[in-house]
Amino acid sequence: MRTIAYRSARRLIAALPVLLGVLVFTFVLMRMLPGDPAVFFASGPSSGEAEIEAMRVKLGLDRSVPEQLLLYLGDVVTGDFGTSMTTGRPVLDDLSERLPASLELTILALILALGTALPLGILAALMPGSMVDHAVRIVCTAGVAMPTFVSGLLLIFVFYYLLGWSPDPTGRIDVFLIAPPEVTGFLLIDSLIAGDGEVFMAALGQLLLPAITMALFVLAPLARMTRASMLAALGGDFVRTARALGLPAWKVVNVYALRNAILPVLTTTGIMFSTMLGANVLVEKVFSWPGVGSYTLDALLASDYAPVQGFVLLMAGIFVIVNLLVDLAYGIADPRVAIE
Amino acid sequence: MLHTRPRGRIRAHLFAAAASAALTLIGIAGAAHAQSREETLRVVTGGQVNSLDAGMQGITRDGFGLNWNIYDRLVSWDRKKFGDGYIYDFDKMKGELAESFTISDDGLTVTFNLRKDATFHDGSPITAEDVKWSLDRAVSLKGPGAQMGTGSLKSPDQFKIVDDHTIQVTLDKPDRLAVPNLAVVFPVILNSDLAKEHATAEDPWATEWLKENQASGGAYKVSSFKAGQQVVLDRFDDWKSGPLPYFKRIIVQTVPEASTRASLIERGDADLSIDLQSSDVLALKGRDAVKVVSIPQINAFQMIAFNTRMAPFDDPRVRQAVAYALPFDDMFTAALYRRGAPLWGAKWENGLPDTGKFPQRLPFSTNLDKAKALLAEAGHPGGFKTSFSFNVGSAATSEPIAALLKESLAKIGIDVTVEKVPDAQMGTLISEKKLPFFTESAIAWLPSADYFFRVFFQGETRWNYGSFVDEELAELTAKARYERDPAAYETAARRMVAIAAEKAPVVMLWQPALDAVMAKDIDGFTYWFHRQTDYRSLTRTK
């Protein structure tokens, strides 16, 4: 156990140069984008040159880019990610307030996606070329071919507007309910801690449509990956041997084949998770979800540098951590693999 | 605990319950403790509030709207009926926190008599000292200061405390926009003791603290504020500056997707939205599910602007030629579904308008022969090549404008390349005067002719969209500002409007309508210069 902790720590430290690279790259890239934030933010009804100049000084844009970068690096080291001009608040506060919303959505979507994709993929692999296989292929193609905002709007139209089954698709909780005291930031967990069943159900109701929308989108890669690696595993010698020994079919499939087939699926899941967290901007927009994605998009459109830089850094950090977790999970699924 | 209509509540529960059968048991109980949401107004908006302090540089329009409801100003405007709603009456000012005000005969001293019983939310009385501090703040902060300056309010020395409930404003010259400037969103009256507690040496006006906190005595107080997501307002029951508002609670939610906002209102889950897509507004109106109050934005206009400092648009004849080649009517239909007031097609005699009001219709209309003749006269018989820009954020209206413009100008030989520019970049390009030809919309808080011409037709700011320089206009506006004789002002204003038509630095297209879509039982919507909702005047009829 101690070695795992030690190795994990070493991995995290080794990731620091990567994070630094990401940070510098984003910083320079943002400043190469067209659009002058000083003009954008000093756009009051009677703002002239003087106001724009004052804003430029306030944002530190009057200094040279290397100078700005050094100042920014110094701030980041002390945990100051700057202030968002769009919300007027420290970026770190904004991100930490919104990250749980994005995580909750992404995790539930991933659970839904895995819960559907694994059985579908296994089924398709057990009966390759059958009707079932084709049906799975069609479902996956439809899911991946439809942009998330289309499927999101479609789900809203059917389940909220036409049928009225779903609560109104705005935010994480019914506006007329009072949110539970914040402990983890995850509404589902916080409402359980507070023992408030009503809020739990309301939050779950709000989560369902956006989570399904995102799950639909990642269903295909997960199901296809499961199918492919299951097929490979099922064709392996050890499965043939297990079958020849007369082991029950469920045991052959679930224990011997699946355990071997799960490794590439794990990798895909890890990648999917990080991608979803950043790429669910459209879903967050459609469902007015107060997550980090929609926050950063607003900032980007407004040439608001600090939030975008903070977001990219956050995503890079999460990517590093998720990769580490995937590697740890590898070790559990297959003890021969250990992280180094 | 507040509650939605029980119907929606149960549905929401069923939905969640169906999904997780194990937890069904805790569910449906919710409908029981229902308090009517009759006195709660749920507003959905596409924008977001980013600060509680209107003085913050970069505050959003929704921020201004919120500020309007939580703070009082000394004075405000009356309103007049327009269709199903109201429109603010720029010619009729009334007291808000000031019970009354008087202007001296020479127009140089304005005396405000404050309400004696008014208090801030924390119960402390509102005194002349608070007013002085607040006005000092308004003229001292960068952005607000520039605005106040348009009414000759420039220095704290101009505000004098006479006694606890009287304050005097002195002016160098009798500026006609001095009092109106005290009614815009900046000179709000703050609880100075509270604000000063949070001021620092670098931040004497407590701007950092006031971004997220309020020191106010307005009709509503903020009970929860999540930047970019949601603001909840509660009525201040001791408010004295007007009749007590009807709604006890206002929930303002940011819902970025326009079609979702429309569905929320149609299904009765939300009560009001002012920024739906025109197509959705028409569809909702057609289904007769909601009430639509449509009011022309009397202080705004959409325009086609030329860079008058760049060839070939430095020649007024070229600008006029383009103006006569514009398919106004088709543009109006395609971009706005004709929801607004046209600003073309006036019939003037002797080249002068009947009134000095601005914006008003100018004498342009589609006339390709005249356009060709003007172009030939200017030395471009075969036309020329140019590019036309608009910002991506306004694509819904600008895209059809650009497409029709390109098609129509091709008929007189002008070859137009259409360029879509990201919003942040558009501002920079306009400020640096780098675009030859583009469309923009402009809004002036104070719809007074000399103000419009001062802000949008001269100077080096971004707002001089045509990069226009004209000596006569500069002289006229400089003088009109202090003109006390209404007839002389009117004459000057008519001449300003005539110059706008002759020199055509911009061609005005129309004033878009502000469509406020609301539940059928909501009444009292008022159009304000800031184009946001005044919750104080809204009621729910039974």
Side-chain angles (χ1 to χ4, degrees):
Chain A
M1 219 41 222
R2 247 192 82 198
T3 47
I4 290 183
Y6 172 70
R7 284 170 177 168
S8 305
R10 252 185 45 190
R11 269 278 294 270
L12 288 178
I13 290 169
L16 283 179
V18 179
L19 293 182
L20 180 72
V22 166
L23 188 149
V24 173
F25 180 73
T26 322
F27 189 90
V28 175
L29 189 71
M30 280 309 284
R31 273 147 191 82
M32 279 163 59
L33 287 180
D36 181 347
V39 174
F40 189 82
F41 289 113
S43 62
S46 46
S47 290
E49 269 312 308
E51 283 70 30
I52 293 173
E53 206 39 56
M55 180 56 77
R56 191 162 284 137
V57 172
K58 190 183 163 198
L59 294 173
L61 298 173
D62 53 332
R63 300 163 194 266
S64 68
V65 173
E67 208 176 336
Q68 289 178 44
L69 179 60
L70 280 179
L71 286 173
Y72 181 67
L73 285 176
D75 284 346
V76 167
V77 169
T78 60
D80 178 3
F81 285 66
T83 303
S84 159
M85 288 305 297
T86 12
T87 66
R89 305 177 58 214
V91 170
L92 205 58
D93 288 4
D94 275 339
L95 286 177
S96 57
E97 194 184 292
R98 285 161 170 270
L99 186 62
S102 288
L103 280 177
E104 194 169 45
L105 177 59
T106 309
I107 291 171
L108 185 69
L110 205 59
I111 292 173
L112 287 178
L114 281 175
T116 331
L118 288 183
L120 284 182
I122 294 171
L123 220 61
L126 287 176
M127 294 174 268
S130 69
M131 288 300 283
V132 179
D133 191 17
H134 290 306
V136 170
R137 188 171 294 131
I138 289 169
V139 170
C140 291
T141 314
V144 82
M146 192 143 37
T148 46
F149 70 92
V150 175
S151 43
L153 286 174
L154 209 64
L155 288 175
I156 291 178
F157 182 70
V158 174
F159 290 102
Y160 169 67
Y161 183 79
L162 288 182
L163 298 173
W165 290 357
S166 162
D168 59 64
T170 55
R172 303 174 73 187
I173 185 174
D174 187 319
V175 279
F176 297 100
L177 284 177
I178 291 162
E182 192 171 313
V183 184
T184 57
F186 292 82
L187 266 184
L188 291 182
I189 298 176
D190 285 354
S191 58
L192 285 182
I193 293 174
D196 193 336
E198 192 187 0
V199 170
F200 180 85
M201 297 308 289
L204 189 62
Q206 297 283 92
L207 250 174
L208 225 44
L209 283 193
I212 291 174
T213 309
M214 284 174 71
L216 276 179
F217 192 63
V218 291
L219 193 62
L222 291 176
R224 300 308 294 168
M225 184 55 79
T226 312
R227 179 184 180 274
S229 65
M230 264 313 264
L231 269 181
L234 285 171
D237 290 345
F238 59 99
V239 169
R240 199 186 54 191
T241 311
R243 283 198 171 129
L245 286 172
L247 288 175
W250 65 266
K251 198 166 184 184
V252 174
V253 171
N254 288 331
V255 178
Y256 293 95
L258 188 58
R259 192 157 174 185
N260 276 284
I262 208 76
L263 292 180
V265 178
L266 260 179
T267 316
T268 317
T269 309
I271 295 170
M272 280 298 139
F273 179 79
S274 311
T275 321
M276 278 160 83
L277 197 55
N280 56 14
V281 182
L282 290 172
V283 178
E284 290 184 359
K285 278 280 169 208
V286 168
F287 290 92
S288 314
W289 202 257
V292 284
S294 59
Y295 168 72
T296 310
L297 184 69
D298 289 342
L300 190 62
L301 290 177
S303 285
D304 194 356
Y305 294 160
V308 181
Q309 286 158 200
F311 171 80
V312 175
L313 201 57
L314 176 77
M315 283 301 135
I318 289 178
F319 210 87
V320 168
I321 293 170
V322 167
N323 272 336
L324 181 65
L325 290 179
V326 167
D327 287 355
L328 289 175
Y330 254 78
I332 296 166
D334 184 349
R336 286 170 303 173
V337 186
I339 63 161
E340 196 47 67
Chain B
M1 188 178 281
L2 277 158
H3 241 290
T4 54
R5 288 162 195 156
R7 196 170 48 111
R9 164 91 287 112
I10 293 174
R11 258 192 276 110
H13 277 281
L14 282 175
F15 184 69
S20 84
L23 290 154
T24 322
L25 288 176
I26 345 173
I28 309 175
H33 46 105
Q35 184 194 329
S36 134
R37 61 164 283 220
E38 197 179 288
E39 289 174 303
T40 301
L41 183 79
R42 182 178 176 196
V43 182
V44 283
T45 165
Q48 43 180 277
V49 174
N50 60 352
S51 169
L52 299 183
D53 178 15
M56 182 185 97
Q57 288 270 61
I59 186 171
T60 55
R61 210 141 59 76
D62 286 73
F64 283 136
L66 182 73
N67 180 281
W68 187 251
N69 288 284
I70 62 174
Y71 282 104
D72 283 346
R73 285 136 294 265
L74 284 175
V75 286
S76 190
W77 284 282
D78 225 334
R79 60 175 189 170
K80 53 191 177 193
K81 194 97 183 109
F82 187 96
D84 277 349
Y86 296 85
I87 205 159
Y88 78 110
D89 188 349
F90 185 68
D91 299 320
K92 238 174 163 176
M93 299 214 70
K94 60 167 193 179
E96 191 162 273
L97 187 65
E99 214 162 26
S100 62
F101 66 95
T102 49
I103 304 177
S104 65
D105 290 339
D106 57 4
L108 296 180
T109 313
V110 192
T111 311
F112 294 92
N113 306 302
L114 307 181
R115 289 177 200 279
K116 297 200 172 63
D117 51 355
T119 63
F120 288 111
H121 294 162
D122 64 3
S124 58
I126 302 179
T127 66
E129 202 157 323
D130 296 302
V131 175
K132 159 122 179 97
W133 191 80
S134 306
L135 298 183
D136 289 356
R137 181 177 196 267
V139 295
S140 304
L141 290 178
K142 246 325 186 245
Q147 171 67 38
M148 305 307 290
T150 63
S152 299
L153 301 167
K154 287 185 169 138
S155 136
D157 308 337
Q158 290 171 270
F159 311 115
K160 201 177 94 196
I161 299 172
V162 178
D163 62 46
D164 260 6
H165 293 98
T166 315
I167 190 146
Q168 227 167 45
V169 178
T170 48
L171 303 164
D172 301 339
K173 282 181 172 178
D175 196 313
R176 58 195 305 109
L177 293 181
V179 181
N181 258 307
L182 290 172
V184 299
V185 298
F186 295 132
V188 293
I189 307 308
L190 296 123
N191 185 336
S192 63
D193 290 333
L194 187 57
K196 275 189 243 171
E197 278 173 32
H198 300 275
T200 59
E202 307 89 70
D203 183 18
W205 303 110
T207 52
E208 281 304 315
W209 186 75
L210 285 166
K211 272 199 292 203
E212 289 193 66
N213 298 279
Q214 55 177 341
S216 143
Y220 284 98
K221 43 189 173 184
V222 177
S223 71
S224 102
F225 169 49
K226 282 191 174 166
Q229 298 175 40
Q230 183 180 319
V231 187
V232 180
L233 303 178
D234 281 324
R235 188 173 72 190
F236 175 45
D237 287 336
D238 280 331
W239 190 56
K240 295 294 186 315
S241 301
L244 199 63
Y246 173 87
F247 286 103
K248 283 191 177 155
R249 173 166 277 203
I250 313 278
I251 299 175
V252 188
Q253 243 186 318
T254 298
V255 176
E257 192 62 44
S259 60
T260 306
R261 292 197 292 276
S263 315
L264 283 167
I265 301 219
E266 184 173 358
R267 288 199 57 91
D269 285 329
D271 296 307
L272 177 85
S273 183
I274 55 168
D275 47 4
L276 299 180
Q277 288 164 349
S278 294
S279 49
D280 284 341
V281 173
L282 287 178
L284 286 176
K285 215 175 170 184
R287 289 202 286 277
D288 198 33
V290 295
K291 178 158 143 188
V292 178
V293 177
S294 189
I295 300 173
Q297 302 183 15
I298 52 160
N299 57 328
F301 60 91
Q302 175 89 34
M303 74 193 116
I304 306 279
F306 307 99
N307 191 333
T308 58
R309 296 177 197 174
M310 196 188 269
F313 295 117
D314 52 353
D315 185 335
R317 289 170 298 188
V318 173
R319 307 196 291 260
Q320 291 234 356
V322 172
Y324 282 110
L326 292 176
F328 290 101
D329 211 63
D330 294 345
M331 285 178 171
F332 192 41
T333 310
L336 280 195
Y337 302 87
R338 314 189 73 79
R339 303 182 71 76
L343 290 176
W344 74 89
K347 301 266 181 288
W348 289 0
E349 282 167 35
N350 323 322
L352 265 188
D354 299 336
T355 88
K357 286 232 175 286
F358 197 80
Q360 61 163 297
R361 282 171 181 248
L362 295 186
F364 293 113
S365 52
T366 319
N367 183 342
L368 290 181
D369 294 331
K370 195 164 178 182
K372 274 183 204 152
L374 278 163
L375 212 53
E377 204 182 304
H380 299 279
F384 52 85
K385 268 183 195 247
T386 186
S387 71
F388 181 77
S389 317
F390 64 84
N391 66 335
V392 180
S394 73
T397 50
S398 301
E399 195 113 54
I401 292 178
L404 288 166
L405 174 138
K406 181 182 165 75
E407 187 191 332
S408 195
L409 290 191
K411 292 178 193 160
I412 60 166
I414 302 178
D415 181 10
V416 178
T417 320
V418 174
E419 279 174 19
K420 297 183 202 180
V421 185
D423 296 32
Q425 197 188 350
M426 188 82 180
T428 313
L429 289 171
I430 294 177
S431 292
E432 290 169 0
K433 317 229 168 279
K434 280 187 178 150
L435 296 175
F437 185 32
F438 58 96
T439 181
E440 258 290 346
S441 54
I443 177 156
W445 282 352
L446 307 172
S448 157
D450 70 299
Y451 185 77
F452 263 101
F453 283 99
R454 241 193 295 159
V455 176
F456 296 111
F457 290 81
Q458 56 182 292
E460 294 304 310
T461 69
R462 167 180 174 181
W463 317 118
N464 182 3
Y465 290 105
S467 306
F468 190 47
V469 186
D470 187 88
E471 255 176 58
E472 187 189 355
L473 188 70
E475 258 170 50
L476 280 169
T477 50
K479 204 164 148 258
R481 174 175 185 181
Y482 310 112
E483 182 56 67
R484 305 198 69 211
D485 173 16
Y489 180 80
E490 182 79 0
T491 311
R494 284 169 68 194
R495 178 64 198 141
M496 292 179 214
V497 179
I499 293 175
E502 276 166 31
K503 302 281 172 70
V506 306
V507 185
M508 296 195 296
L509 299 177
W510 52 69
Q511 296 179 305
L514 180 104
D515 288 317
V517 178
M518 59 198 87
K520 280 187 162 168
D521 56 359
I522 303 289
D523 231 342
F525 184 86
T526 310
Y527 175 81
W528 281 100
F529 61 89
H530 46 62
R531 297 181 294 173
Q532 291 287 305
T533 312
D534 189 339
Y535 306 123
R536 302 172 299 183
S537 65
L538 293 175
T539 59
R540 198 191 287 279
T541 52
K542 279 158 207 148

